[in-house]
Amino acid sequence: MGYANWLGRRRGQEVVPAFSGGVQTQRFPLACFKIPIVDLMGVDVAYGQKATPTPPKPTAPTPESASAPAPVTALASAPAPDTLNLTTPKDEDISLKNCLGVFLEYVVIEPPERIYPFLDNKSQHEQPYRFKSEVTLTNTGYEKVLGWEVYIGFQHDEIIAQADGVLFITGDSPPGIAVGNGTSVLGSDMPDLQTSIDTAMDPTKIGYTFQLTGTEFGVAEPDFPLPTNISLVNQGWECGKPSKEDSPFSPANRMWVCCAENRTAMNDTKDLDSGFLPRVEGDIVMYYDVYQTYGDNYWAKVTISMEDPLGRLDFWNLTWDWKQGEFIFAMKGAQTFGPQEQDKCVLGKAGEHYGSLDFSQVMSCSSSPTIVDLTEDQRNNPQIGIPNCCRNGTLLPELVDPSQTKSEFQLQVYKLPPHIDRNDIQPPINWNIGDGYKCSQPRAVSPSEFSPDSIYSQTAVSSWQVVCNKTVSPVKKCCVSFSTFYNDSVIPCPTCSCGCQSNTLPWNHQKCNPHIDAMFLPYNGVLLPPSNRTALGLQLAKLDHYTTPDPVPCPDNCGVALNWHVYSDYADGWSARITIFNWEKEPVPKWFAAIDLPKAMPGYQNVYTFNGSVVPSLDDALLMQGHNGYSNDYLLGLDNTDNPGKLQSLMSFDKRKTPGISVVKGDGFPQRVWFNGEECAIPSQFPLGSGAWQGRPSVQLSFVVVLVTIVLLLGDATRQL
């Protein structure tokens, strides 16, 4: 079968004779043009004859061709088939046949359509337009493509409204997915592409087409905005620069690229040979392991692992979407949160299929359940307790507590027709573990080995991996202030470190400025809540005789604040004191912090009140935590008299192991600080010696300048006399 022929049939259309000269043409709905159907050996498919170099001129259709079914019209605005007199292969078809790998094609299949709200000509860059495009993947190489992932470099603030048959790597579901900076999609209905060799060129197994409908801005007809790039993300394929070509009715409505096979990269992924995707790393890694399967239901185990060396997750809430109408009948080690929604089962397809089932015992019939951990007192409950469960939703890194890095739970899932075969199992999609993390879609990996009862080991029937990584937010959850023994004031936390919900001060509702540096504070200022420090800052400004801003800076608004204080500095060593303040009412059990002191850490000696250790894998950062079982393992919250929970410790450093270190010039101040897995905001400046601050003259220096000026003026007056 010729390549263009099977590609056309895969889209559900028949090959229609268009010329009487012995060469047939194929109508492509996304290309809107015709090409001669010639196979890779140059043999005419329809007639089994050698194709001539120059196609015959078109003539009137024969009676047979006139009676053939009419081709499906792809676009209402496209020319009629008899007006397309194009009989030579197009560039993308030549590229398709010459591609050894995966051929990608992106086509705008409808002209942009102006939609509400209609804006005037001055706001055309904000005018929304509807677009519809089609993406096609074709495996033309030797290797299977497992779990294909395609990147589309959107560039016009696109918003996806509909996308059937694909999943978004971000875990979002249409409508309303903002993809203006580009996005990656995965196959949902068909996640893998087989090879032509294995399937005898079966178009339903080696290729896949999906459509995207959405909104873009500022691009009107006759333009057909294309993405900046399309590529296959999977390891083992390398994509070149996409090509573009004008279509018969509008310029540049399509782009295509060949992603060639890279054998060296493929050899690095050993799991591909076994038909599974390689396991990848992330901040949080989850597994969905099916270990018992029946005709209409199965048991699965979910494992949530903290892999971030400084990560922490409290009160995790796991959500996902069922893909085929499944529902959770029973659980161990966790429970669903919120309404059970049994009415959706009773009144839906589940009630029709499972007529005798007691749905009052069902854990959740929700299509998007929320799953939460159990409390610690349920761990030994024989009915619902399992190993590694019941941690109250808290996960800690291995460096802090190796016994609390994993949470596990089991669930019994019932399926609906036509997916009641014991081998027809699909994992839930669109996983989300909580704010601050973005999770991938499930990836089919080699079956996991585990022990559901902690006695016997078994291999899962099927396993999927979900990887979640922490997202970067400009709004922090903690901040750091700097102070020293040689100055009586403090460089406070940066303005709005943990966000500013409004630019008004909470105690008098006066305006404050969220965009300027915080005012210096007297040392006792760190003992006051963030909202009460402005008055002390104004007093210090008056004492130091420098101009105060109007409006004043907004507070840092952080619930947790750390103060780094250089406590001493002498010839052979120096010391620092760290103080942790908790301005929230909730206490923090099993807290931990880490500091990055690149030049000072080789001379680290000891932290005296906390448990401290240098972590080579984190560039020799110093990890600190309370002593297990002692009171400093528990950071209290704000009490009724507005006194914060507070912990502090001294630490010492040896200068003989760090020759050339200058504490006063900044080497004694951390460059990065973390608390409970969150990186804290730190000041952009640090105190200088001799009572001065970098970027601000000191009180002593100002006095010296004034004294010298007076002496000079008196001398000049004496000479005049």
Side-chain angles (χ1 to χ4, degrees), residues 485-549:
F485 70 93
Y486 47 77
N487 199 300
D488 58 358
S489 57
V490 179
I491 295 183
C493 293
T495 304
C496 297
S497 296
C498 299
C500 281
Q501 296 181 352
S502 65
N503 60 342
T504 58
L505 296 173
W507 62 89
N508 58 14
H509 301 290
Q510 293 182 358
K511 291 290 184 180
C512 61
N513 192 336
H515 306 297
I516 60 175
D517 292 337
M519 293 185 297
F520 300 116
L521 297 173
Y523 189 72
N524 62 338
V526 298
L527 301 175
L528 296 178
S531 59
N532 295 343
R533 297 172 190 159
T534 299
L536 290 180
L538 293 173
Q539 293 177 8
L540 183 63
K542 183 178 180 180
L543 179 64
D544 282 358
H545 302 288
Y546 66 85
T547 304
T548 57

Side-chain angles (χ1 to χ4, degrees), residues 265-443:
M266 289 182 181
N267 291 336
D268 294 336
T269 56
K270 299 178 181 179
D271 288 343
L272 293 178
D273 296 335
S274 60
F276 299 104
L277 292 170
R279 298 172 185 243
V280 297
E281 297 178 347
D283 293 332
I284 293 178
V285 177
M286 295 184 282
Y287 287 98
Y288 191 83
D289 297 310
V290 176
Y291 63 90
Q292 288 181 359
T293 176
Y294 308 96
D296 55 8
N297 72 90
Y298 64 86
W299 276 92
K301 179 172 72 73
V302 176
T303 303
I304 310 171
S305 299
M306 174 58 69
E307 303 293 335
D308 184 352
L310 288 179
R312 180 184 179 124
L313 185 61
D314 289 303
F315 308 111
W316 56 259
N317 282 342
L318 177 61
T319 62
W320 62 45
D321 296 330
W322 290 115
K323 188 178 176 182
Q324 298 174 341
E326 301 94 332
F327 61 91
I328 302 174
F329 184 80
M331 295 185 75
K332 295 181 179 180
Q335 64 183 1
T336 57
F337 178 78
Q340 294 174 299
E341 302 184 29
Q342 284 99 336
D343 58 315
K344 291 186 177 180
C345 286
V346 175
L347 303 178
K349 293 182 179 180
E352 296 177 4
H353 182 69
Y354 300 103
S356 60
L357 187 67
D358 183 6
F359 286 101
S360 66
Q361 304 299 315
V362 171
M363 175 66 71
S364 174
C365 289
S366 173
S367 60
S368 301
T370 298
I371 301 170
V372 298
D373 199 6
L374 297 178
T375 55
E376 295 181 0
D377 59 346
Q378 298 296 322
R379 185 173 303 165
N380 297 322
N381 186 326
Q383 301 297 323
I384 57 177
I386 63 172
N388 293 324
C389 83
C390 315
R391 305 187 186 282
N392 205 27
T394 297
L395 293 175
L396 298 175
E398 186 175 7
L399 292 171
V400 175
D401 188 348
S403 67
Q404 203 164 340
T405 61
K406 290 183 180 181
S407 282
E408 295 181 353
F409 63 88
Q410 301 168 1
L411 67 162
Q412 185 181 21
V413 180
Y414 273 73
K415 303 181 292 182
L416 295 180
H419 308 287
I420 56 174
D421 186 274
R422 66 185 306 164
N423 296 322
D424 189 353
I425 300 175
Q426 293 293 328
I429 60 175
N430 301 333
W431 293 48
N432 191 334
I433 193 62
D435 293 339
Y437 289 90
K438 276 290 185 181
C439 300
S440 71
Q441 296 291 353
R443 310 168 71 253

Side-chain angles (χ1 to χ4, degrees), residues 76-88:
S77 60
D82 58 354
T83 64
L84 295 179
N85 189 19
L86 301 174
T87 58
T88 58

